[in-house]
Amino acid sequence: MEKAVINQTELAIYQGDITDCAVDAIVNAANRSLLGGGGVDGAIHRAAGPQLLAECRTLGGCQTGEAKLTKGYCLPAAHVIHTVGPVWQGGNHQEAQLLASCYRRTLAIADAENFRTLAFSAISTGVYGYPIAEAAQIAVRTVKEYLIAHPDVPLRKIWFVCYDNTVAEAYSQALENKQQGDK
Ligand code: APR
């Protein structure tokens, strides 16, 4: 399944480069310094240009599970919400709670800013090593729970941006509400 609708908000999967997304905000998988890095963080900073780093320098970093807002500068997206996912350490270090918090805190910012469109990257599923199927389940479940609990949220479209097939398949299963390994 590629789509789901909760109240007035459509959830969909987009397979491609998040720096191409012309939305109110794209969600960056950052690190606690907020000073850039590799992966999607590096791609977003390269596409946004040096003003993004300059603004990030004023934010004083970001705790794991928290999120902070900046402008999008040269990106087609108007804003970037930087969130810091947990590093996978086997599953007994609050990883699931921290990852869910990334999605909740990001949605709270999008809600407060009256954003109508939002594109998430697959937080923690790259360098931070979070098992992809589990991360996708947490992402989709947390977003759905937030939308159910906040029926008046202005968001009308949320994309889960998947850079490769494996991640796209995991998100597709999660959207179908299938558990890992279900047929
Ligand atoms: N567009 C969309 N998704 C992308 C892109 C892109 N241009 N580039 C990479 N991705 C995907 C990866 O394939 C992965 O599924 O983003 C997901 C998150 O992977 P990472 O970018 O490695 O982020 P994460 O696992 O959260 O690790 C964060 O990596 O880049 C550093 O500074 C970052 O230290 C932080 C750490």
Side-chain angles (χ1 to χ4, degrees):
M1 175 192 288
E2 304 305 309
K3 286 191 172 45
V5 178
I6 309 281
N7 296 329
Q8 315 289 326
T9 310
E10 182 180 291
L11 308 181
I13 294 167
Y14 169 68
Q15 186 160 356
D17 188 329
I18 200 166
T19 61
D20 296 335
C21 295
V23 290
D24 289 328
I26 58 173
V27 184
N28 181 23
N31 59 56
R32 287 186 304 174
S33 75
L34 291 186
L35 300 180
V40 69
D41 195 8
I44 287 172
H45 275 273
R46 278 193 299 279
Q51 291 172 290
L52 177 59
L53 181 58
E55 183 175 0
C56 284
R57 285 193 199 286
T58 69
L59 298 179
C62 183
Q63 287 305 311
T64 301
E66 279 302 321
K68 292 194 176 177
L69 176 71
T70 67
K71 296 185 188 70
Y73 300 104
C74 303
L75 284 161
H79 299 85
V80 182
I81 298 175
H82 306 262
T83 191
V84 181
V87 177
W88 180 253
Q89 302 177 72
N92 299 316
H93 295 76
Q94 305 290 314
E95 292 99 322
Q97 291 83 343
L98 286 165
L99 185 59
S101 174
C102 288
Y103 289 92
R104 267 196 298 276
R105 299 298 306 138
T106 294
L107 287 163
I109 291 173
D111 195 352
E113 296 292 328
N114 254 330
F115 291 162
R116 298 178 67 80
T117 54
L118 184 66
F120 279 104
S121 58
I123 309 297
S124 285
T125 63
V127 165
Y128 281 3
Y130 211 110
I132 290 172
E134 206 174 317
Q137 293 281 341
I138 290 169
V140 171
R141 185 173 60 239
T142 307
V143 170
K144 284 183 174 179
E145 286 169 354
Y146 187 95
L147 295 173
I148 290 164
H150 301 83
D152 301 330
V153 69
L155 282 165
R156 292 294 172 265
K157 188 76 182 264
I158 296 175
W159 281 274
F160 294 105
V161 182
C162 305
Y163 204 46
D164 61 50
N165 275 330
T166 317
V167 179
E169 182 50 40
Y171 272 86
S172 182
Q173 298 246 336
L175 270 186
E176 281 186 52
N177 230 345
K178 278 185 176 176
Q179 296 309 314
Q180 210 171 333
D182 283 359
K183 285 291 164 235

